[in-house]
Amino acid sequence: MARESVKLIANNKKAYHDYFIDETYEAGIALCGTEVKSLRMGKCSIKESFIRVENGEVFIYGMHISPYEKGNIFNKDPLRVKKLLVHRYEINKIGGKVREKGYTLVPLRVYFKGSLVKVEIGLARGKKLYDKRQDIAKKDQRREAEKEFKVKNLY
């Protein structure tokens, strides 16, 4: 079996800053043709989007797919609610976790896997302000260490 190529469309860096990601799942998206063409051109944003489990189905809200320029009448609303395609047992597992206190679902990235559009979903817990500060401090320390390492290697 040949390895399928993965081409990144959109990434949600803010999710890693605002949440602790405990588990990740891969889901397909039910899209129309012009939306797929727009995604092929990389016109997608998941910064403000979130995911909900409703009546045994998973939906993504606030995912913005820009209208396809040559799509005219076939274009859909860029912010319409899109259904995610996830296995039943995964929906049950995710639904049970989300009902627990403090868990939420966030989209982490959108990508092509072969010819299919996939979304990576993260089961996340919110970070407190002091957690975010600790992350920023760690990032600064790492940056300083890399800078010093670079300076030492120059001489």
Side-chain angles (χ1 to χ4, degrees), residues 1-153:
M1 187 170 123
R3 261 191 92 188
E4 296 168 340
S5 63
V6 175
K7 181 182 173 239
L8 188 68
I9 302 167
N11 201 355
N12 192 355
K13 292 180 185 172
K14 195 163 173 52
Y16 289 100
H17 182 263
D18 292 342
Y19 301 99
F20 292 113
I21 309 298
D22 290 347
E23 292 180 45
T24 59
Y25 299 93
E26 184 179 69
I29 317 177
L31 298 170
C32 70
T34 53
E35 288 176 322
V36 176
K37 288 180 179 185
S38 187
L39 286 173
R40 287 210 183 279
M41 292 166 41
K43 305 216 170 156
C44 175
S45 172
I46 55 172
K47 277 192 175 75
E48 300 296 319
S49 58
F50 60 96
I51 298 168
R52 280 204 184 129
V53 179
E54 297 169 356
N55 303 326
E57 295 180 328
V58 184
F59 295 96
I60 187 166
Y61 293 83
M63 178 180 174
H64 187 277
I65 299 176
S66 299
Y68 183 58
E69 287 102 43
K70 300 177 184 82
N72 56 42
I73 61 168
F74 299 107
N75 279 334
K76 300 278 192 223
D77 177 31
L79 287 171
R80 79 181 176 92
V81 177
K82 294 155 193 74
K83 183 177 177 181
L84 296 181
L85 310 171
V86 186
H87 289 286
R88 170 70 49 215
Y89 66 91
E90 285 183 331
I91 293 173
N92 294 339
K93 188 176 173 185
I94 291 169
K97 292 270 186 158
V98 169
R99 280 189 284 279
E100 283 182 32
K101 186 176 181 275
Y103 276 108
T104 186
L105 288 171
V106 289
L108 300 176
R109 59 190 188 121
V110 179
Y111 55 95
F112 278 106
K113 188 174 183 183
S115 63
L116 304 173
V117 180
K118 300 285 187 178
V119 177
E120 189 175 50
I121 300 170
L123 190 64
R125 289 177 293 125
K127 284 185 181 178
K128 303 278 189 259
L129 185 61
Y130 56 85
D131 292 326
K132 292 179 188 179
R133 285 184 185 146
Q134 284 175 345
D135 281 356
I136 291 169
K138 282 180 189 172
K139 197 184 290 183
D140 287 343
Q141 278 182 325
R142 196 179 72 241
R143 197 176 295 130
E144 287 293 323
E146 286 173 359
K147 190 187 284 184
E148 285 181 30
F149 181 73
K150 202 176 208 180
V151 169
K152 284 180 184 176
N153 286 344

